[in-house]
Amino acid sequence: MHPLILLAVAIVGEVTATISLKISDGFTKLFPSVVVIVGYGVAFTALARLLKQGFPVGVAYAIWAAVGVAAVAVIGALFLHEPFNLTMGLGLTMVIGGVLLLELGRTH
């Protein structure tokens, strides 16, 4: 499978699991709790397959984590009514910028 597809699957699995973790209310709700387990299973399986293909672990983890953090923050703000302000947006921008620099450094 193409590396970017595996990375996207890992990110979607992780974001889905993390949002479901919040919705599970401390694992007291069955369906979101099952989604947590399945989502993290999908995420780590896709990430493991990506790394097995030779994708650099530092870059894979940086992209996976940065996109996951950004997506969870935005979803939390939009759908879970969690706070999001300019300072938080700047922090996310810096994290994404750091990932881009890692990727640029890998190609040189």
Side-chain angles (χ1 to χ4, degrees):
M1 187 176 288
H2 193 277
L4 293 181
I5 292 173
L6 285 172
L7 186 55
V9 168
I11 291 166
V12 169
E14 187 267 334
V15 169
T16 302
T18 301
I19 295 299
S20 296
L21 190 59
K22 170 78 173 182
I23 297 169
S24 77
D25 196 28
F27 290 113
T28 60
K29 297 179 180 172
L30 180 61
F31 181 73
S33 299
V34 171
V35 173
V36 169
I37 294 165
V38 172
Y40 283 130
V42 166
F44 288 121
T45 300
L47 198 56
R49 288 186 62 197
L50 176 69
L51 298 176
K52 186 176 180 181
Q53 290 183 1
F55 202 89
V57 67
V59 175
Y61 186 73
I63 294 169
W64 180 67
V67 173
V69 166
V72 168
V74 170
I75 292 168
L78 292 175
F79 300 105
L80 302 175
H81 311 292
E82 294 183 346
F84 191 88
N85 58 42
L86 184 59
T87 304
M88 296 168 77
L90 180 61
L92 285 176
T93 301
M94 292 171 72
V95 167
I96 292 168
V99 169
L100 291 174
L101 289 173
L102 278 173
E103 181 63 20
L104 286 172
R106 182 175 77 93
T107 60
H108 286 68

